[in-house]
Amino acid sequence: MKDISKEDYLRAIYHLQKDQNMAIRSVEISKYLGISKASVNEMIRKLAKEELIEYKLYSSINLTKKGIEEAEKIVYKHKILESFLSKILGIGKNKVHEEADKLEHGVSKEAAKKLDKLLKNPKTCPHGGKIPNSDKKACLLGDICVNNEATVLFTKIKNKQTLERINSLGIVPEAKIKILNKIKKGPLELQLGNSKIAIGGDICSQIYVKEK
Amino acid sequence: MKDISKEDYLRAIYHLQKDQNMAIRSVEISKYLGISKASVNEMIRKLAKEELIEYKLYSSINLTKKGIEEAEKIVYKHKILESFLSKILGIGKNKVHEEADKLEHGVSKEAAKKLDKLLKNPKTCPHGGKIPNSDKKACLLGDICVNNEATVLFTKIKNKQTLERINSLGIVPEAKIKILNKIKKGPLELQLGNSKIAIGGDICSQIYVKEK
DNA sequence: TATATAAGTTAGGTTAGCCTAACATTTATG
DNA sequence: CATAAATGTTAGGCTAACCTAACTTATATA
Ligand SMILES: [Mn+2]
Ligand SMILES: [Mn+2]
Ligand SMILES: [Mn+2]
Ligand SMILES: [Mn+2]
């Protein structure tokens, strides 16, 4: 079976980037997957060559739009399988991740959709993680039009200070936002819950969202 | 994921040996799996080293008892998965083999048993093949005691003429037999349907059965 | 801001599982 | 029973995905 490793890397990167809400470091993939830094480095280059991730020498890593698409396909299968194993087969929640990690590479899109339906379209996996809807594609916050609404996926910010600021504004995964106003090459005004905030255009191109 | 190839080889060998009711040739594995003769030769040696098959240079191949056990584990998973994909998910019968071929390596024994129960313990897969019961272990016909009953699994006969004779007596996979009499180092007398037949002791050690 | 520590890279290797081409042995058949 | 065809083996090679050890670059902190 092909691409098993690539799929595991993509799912790992997606998970880490969402978890940290920023671009990730290769050592984290190494720790998450239990694979040496050298091997991770090798795979990182392959994924970059396929334009699934953005990566420069000695720098941090983040998924491209194409990478998010691919990652969500496998995350979707993984979480649907976990739900199936847990809710329908009654297998312990502590065991389902490991088994889904194997099955995710073999299950077809068709079968995953049928499982989804059988489960009555769950929103989350047994561990509480959101099951992605890969029908809606990710884009950058800056691409959303005025008056439209979107959900934050995660950012690709590199700097920790910048991230702190963004997080403290409430720009975190799953946050719902509405674009209020856009000034050419200037800041973006948006509604987030009850508060209105403004974000620089440069940062807007570092935030992945999904349009509602 | 480890042992994927080995499991595919074991399932292929089990299928072929049962299908032909005799020891098989490596070229058949090659054709069945779409793998070169050279590669099959390589794997054959590994399986023989692990005592999963019996094999001598330039000779035919058959599963050992241990090999049957291992093969049945994967055949069981394969057919249960096919049944699940077909009957519960409603995936076309023409597609389920391919998908089960991938999933069989990742599904746990526990999950397979739960699927089995969910399906209400089917006896056959969507293509009509018997789902093996790996609780009962295979042994040689000669090992069965007088008055006991058994089901033929398959033979490990090498010679085509010998096989013809055995097949024509009704010693074919799934045949039910009862041992009527055993003469030390002599022939075995057995009941097969309405007829009583006698089989030489040498042949008895070439027929795998499962005791009832 | 110098230096220690962490992170990332490179070089060199291993293993499983595949391949083709050439050669050896067995089996089938005229 | 000789020879052609089929089957099996060997030699040599390849790729993906891993590894360790040594080295380079970036980051943290005193
Ligand atoms: Mn999981
Ligand atoms: Mn996996
Ligand atoms: Mn099948
Ligand atoms: Mn398989």
Side-chain angles (χ1 to χ4, degrees):
Chain A
M1 276 194 291
K2 239 193 286 185
D3 291 328
I4 290 180
S5 276
K6 266 179 198 165
E7 289 178 336
D8 282 338
Y9 275 89
L10 286 174
R11 189 164 57 72
I13 296 168
Y14 185 92
H15 173 262
L16 292 166
Q17 192 165 359
K18 189 164 183 181
D19 192 52
Q20 307 187 182
N21 198 25
M22 72 185 298
I24 63 164
R25 315 226 59 181
S26 97
V27 71
E28 318 207 68
I29 301 172
S30 176
K31 284 171 188 158
Y32 185 81
L33 293 177
I35 288 170
S36 74
K37 290 185 295 169
S39 296
V40 170
N41 187 264
E42 196 174 291
M43 182 63 85
I44 283 308
R45 287 158 193 270
K46 285 184 197 166
L47 296 175
K49 193 167 288 173
E50 295 178 42
E51 297 182 293
L52 295 164
I53 59 172
E54 288 166 3
Y55 147 87
K56 280 186 313 220
L57 258 192
Y58 288 106
S59 170
S60 55
I61 293 156
N62 58 258
L63 291 164
T64 60
K65 286 182 197 173
K66 185 181 165 194
I68 292 173
E69 253 181 73
E70 289 303 304
E72 288 192 339
K73 285 181 192 167
I74 194 73
V75 172
Y76 173 75
K77 289 178 180 179
H78 179 93
K79 293 187 185 283
I80 288 293
L81 283 164
E82 284 185 335
S83 305
F84 170 72
L85 292 168
S86 169
K87 292 190 201 161
I88 296 184
L89 296 192
I91 291 173
K93 286 186 186 179
N94 55 324
K95 294 185 195 167
V96 298
H97 176 86
E98 191 187 346
E99 187 153 1
D101 183 25
K102 294 177 186 167
L103 296 173
E104 64 193 0
H105 312 288
V107 77
S108 65
K109 186 178 175 179
E110 183 186 2
K113 291 249 159 135
K114 301 263 189 179
L115 287 171
D116 198 344
K117 198 177 167 189
L118 195 66
L119 287 156
K120 291 168 189 158
N121 311 107
K123 295 279 172 291
T124 59
C125 78
H127 312 106
K130 198 195 168 203
I131 297 175
N133 176 347
S134 44
D135 296 341
K136 289 178 193 162
K137 287 181 184 173
C139 65
L140 295 167
L141 178 53
D143 299 333
I144 308 287
C145 298
V146 172
N147 286 323
N148 285 9
E149 293 173 65
T151 303
V152 175
L153 186 54
F154 48 65
T155 82
K156 47 178 175 172
I157 291 168
K158 283 169 191 156
N159 182 279
K160 282 196 177 172
Q161 273 79 54
T162 312
L163 179 69
E164 292 270 302
R165 198 159 50 79
I166 288 301
N167 277 342
S168 70
L169 286 172
I171 309 280
V172 294
E174 309 312 326
K176 311 280 181 203
I177 57 189
K178 181 175 179 180
I179 313 301
L180 297 176
N181 199 11
K182 259 171 115 167
I183 298 158
K184 215 176 250 178
K185 286 187 183 176
L188 199 82
E189 217 178 291
L190 47 83
Q191 179 93 32
L192 207 156
N194 293 323
S195 51
K196 287 178 191 174
I197 59 176
I199 296 186
D202 51 329
I203 295 291
C204 290
S205 60
Q206 312 243 129
I207 301 169
Y208 281 123
V209 299
K210 284 194 172 190
E211 197 158 359
K212 205 178 181 180
Chain B
M1 277 194 291
K2 239 194 282 188
D3 290 330
I4 290 180
S5 275
K6 266 179 198 165
E7 289 178 337
D8 282 339
Y9 275 89
L10 285 174
R11 189 165 57 72
I13 296 167
Y14 185 91
H15 173 261
L16 292 166
Q17 193 166 359
K18 189 163 183 182
D19 192 51
Q20 307 186 183
N21 197 24
M22 72 186 297
I24 63 164
R25 316 226 59 181
S26 97
V27 71
E28 319 207 69
I29 301 172
S30 176
K31 284 171 190 159
Y32 184 81
L33 293 177
I35 289 171
S36 75
K37 290 184 296 170
S39 297
V40 170
N41 187 263
E42 196 174 291
M43 182 62 87
I44 282 309
R45 286 157 193 268
K46 285 184 197 165
L47 296 175
K49 193 167 286 173
E50 294 177 44
E51 296 182 294
L52 295 164
I53 59 172
E54 288 167 2
Y55 147 86
K56 280 186 311 220
L57 259 192
Y58 289 104
S59 169
S60 55
I61 292 156
N62 57 257
L63 290 164
T64 60
K65 286 182 197 172
K66 185 181 165 193
I68 292 173
E69 254 181 72
E70 288 304 304
E72 288 193 337
K73 286 181 193 169
I74 194 72
V75 172
Y76 173 75
K77 289 177 179 178
H78 179 93
K79 292 187 185 282
I80 288 294
L81 283 164
E82 283 186 335
S83 304
F84 170 71
L85 292 169
S86 169
K87 290 191 202 162
I88 296 183
L89 296 192
I91 290 172
K93 285 186 187 178
N94 55 323
K95 295 185 195 167
V96 298
H97 176 86
E98 191 186 346
E99 187 152 0
D101 183 26
K102 294 176 186 168
L103 296 173
E104 64 192 359
H105 312 288
V107 77
S108 65
K109 186 178 176 178
E110 184 187 1
K113 290 248 158 135
K114 302 262 189 178
L115 287 171
D116 198 343
K117 198 177 167 190
L118 195 66
L119 287 156
K120 291 168 188 156
N121 310 109
K123 296 278 172 292
T124 59
C125 77
H127 312 106
K130 198 196 168 201
I131 297 175
N133 177 347
S134 43
D135 298 340
K136 287 178 195 164
K137 287 181 184 174
C139 65
L140 294 167
L141 178 53
D143 300 333
I144 308 286
C145 297
V146 172
N147 285 323
N148 285 8
E149 292 174 65
T151 304
V152 174
L153 186 54
F154 46 67
T155 82
K156 47 179 176 172
I157 290 168
K158 283 167 192 158
N159 183 280
K160 281 196 178 171
Q161 272 80 55
T162 311
L163 179 70
E164 292 271 301
R165 198 160 48 80
I166 288 301
N167 278 343
S168 70
L169 286 171
I171 309 279
V172 294
E174 308 312 326
K176 312 280 180 200
I177 57 188
K178 180 174 180 180
I179 313 300
L180 297 176
N181 199 14
K182 259 172 114 166
I183 299 158
K184 214 176 250 178
K185 288 187 181 176
L188 199 81
E189 218 177 293
L190 47 84
Q191 179 93 33
L192 208 157
N194 293 323
S195 52
K196 286 179 190 173
I197 60 177
I199 296 187
D202 52 329
I203 295 290
C204 290
S205 60
Q206 312 244 124
I207 301 169
Y208 281 121
V209 300
K210 284 194 172 190
E211 197 157 1
K212 204 180 182 178

